[in-house]
Structures are given as C-alpha cells and as structure tokens.
Amino acid sequence: MKKITFARVDDRLIHGEVVTAWVPTYRINHIIIVDDTVAKDPFQRRVLKTLAPRGVRVDPMSVKEATDYLGGEDNEKERILLLTKSPTYYEQLAENGIQLPQVNLGGMGLRGDRKPFVKNVAADPVEIEAIKNLVSKEVHVFYQLVPEQRLIEITNLI
C-alpha cells in the first residue's frame, strides 16, 4: 500500500495555502484529488493540473481509482497529498481499506445543509457522521488552516 504523506479537506482543492504552505512543509511531489465529479470533468482536471507547483504531479481520481492506486505498491520517493472537498471521500477510502495517517479539515465553506463547525469549517450532518466514523477508525482528524497555526482537535468538538 502506498504511504499517504498528508490528507486535507478543502473546498478549493489546489490554491494558495496548499501550494505555499502544505506542499513545501511536507515536500509533496504528487497531489491526488479524490472527487468523483472532478475526475470525470476534463476542464476541471486541466485547470487543477495547471495550478500545481513545478515538479508536482496532479491526478484527479474517483474514489475507485484512488482506492486502486493507493492500494498499489509503495514508492518511498513518492510524497502524496490527498485533497478532497468533503470528509465523506475519506470515509469511503477508509472503508475500502486505505490507511489514512490523519485528515486535516481546512476550508469547508457554508453551502447547502452545512452549518458552522469550527473556525472556517462548516459541515452537514452526513459530513459530521463521516468525521465520527473516521475518528472511530482511529484516524486523527483535526482542524488547521496552515502548518504554522495551532492545531484544533476535532474529537473535542463532536
């Protein structure tokens, strides 16, 4: 199984905080975006690939594609950043046997049934349940906007 260096939930996927803070902090060289809709959209795929820093490969994948890829043989030189728009994708990956080191909740804006959860994170009831399920699987779930900011434990909030 491939080793995941960092996993983050962020509505914006690849943007300034990811490119200037998370990628260099963890020396990321491969970003995998797990989103069934984005994976099928050629325009979104192209845009996301152009936003990546030089030398960082970007692959939008469906949950199935990500499960298959991440379940493959580890490459110690590969430093993977997983990005999703919702913790429900991480719940699906965990249910498919993918070992997540942690899940960082970043920017999850208000939309639909989402209600404020912590700082700039809003979650709907399905996402809250996904977070609880991840925690029950012993996945460390926390909020942290950027690496320099204090980490806030989600277990204290659910």
Side-chain angles (χ1 to χ4, degrees):
M1 182 171 297
K2 295 197 181 287
K3 182 176 180 253
I4 298 162
T5 305
F6 195 68
R8 179 174 170 88
V9 179
D10 196 316
D11 287 343
R12 299 163 293 173
L13 298 174
I14 299 175
H15 61 94
E17 289 164 7
V18 170
V19 171
T20 63
W22 296 109
V23 166
T25 295
Y26 287 97
R27 299 181 334 273
I28 299 299
N29 59 21
H30 190 186
I31 296 173
I32 298 174
I33 295 166
V34 183
D35 187 295
D36 292 340
T37 304
V38 171
K40 292 183 214 171
D41 185 325
F43 177 74
Q44 286 188 63
R45 292 173 62 86
R46 196 168 44 252
V47 167
L48 288 165
K49 288 181 181 216
T50 64
L51 295 172
R54 183 181 307 270
V56 177
R57 182 173 136 202
V58 174
D59 288 309
M61 298 181 184
S62 67
V63 171
K64 166 90 171 81
E65 292 167 329
T67 299
D68 291 346
Y69 182 80
L70 295 168
E73 191 173 321
D74 188 34
N75 171 354
E76 64 185 48
K77 293 181 181 177
E78 186 176 31
R79 301 197 49 86
I80 297 172
L81 166 61
L82 289 185
L83 287 174
T84 69
K85 294 181 181 181
S86 172
T88 59
Y89 286 113
Y90 289 124
E91 178 185 36
Q92 291 173 58
L93 289 174
E95 287 174 359
N96 291 342
I98 300 303
Q99 296 175 358
L100 300 165
Q102 82 290 315
V103 171
N104 166 245
L105 302 180
M108 293 173 60
L110 288 169
R111 68 169 192 260
D113 290 338
R114 281 185 172 175
K115 299 206 178 344
F117 183 68
V118 58
K119 302 267 183 180
N120 65 335
V121 173
D124 65 30
V126 172
E127 291 171 323
I128 295 290
E129 195 59 35
I131 292 166
K132 288 178 181 178
N133 288 338
L134 288 167
V135 170
S136 75
K137 293 179 187 310
E138 299 185 10
V139 176
H140 181 213
V141 182
F142 61 95
Y143 166 80
Q144 190 176 29
L145 191 62
V146 291
E148 298 79 28
Q149 187 180 51
R150 185 177 65 83
L151 180 146
I152 297 174
E153 296 292 346
I154 295 305
T155 53
N156 300 335
L157 304 172
I158 56 173

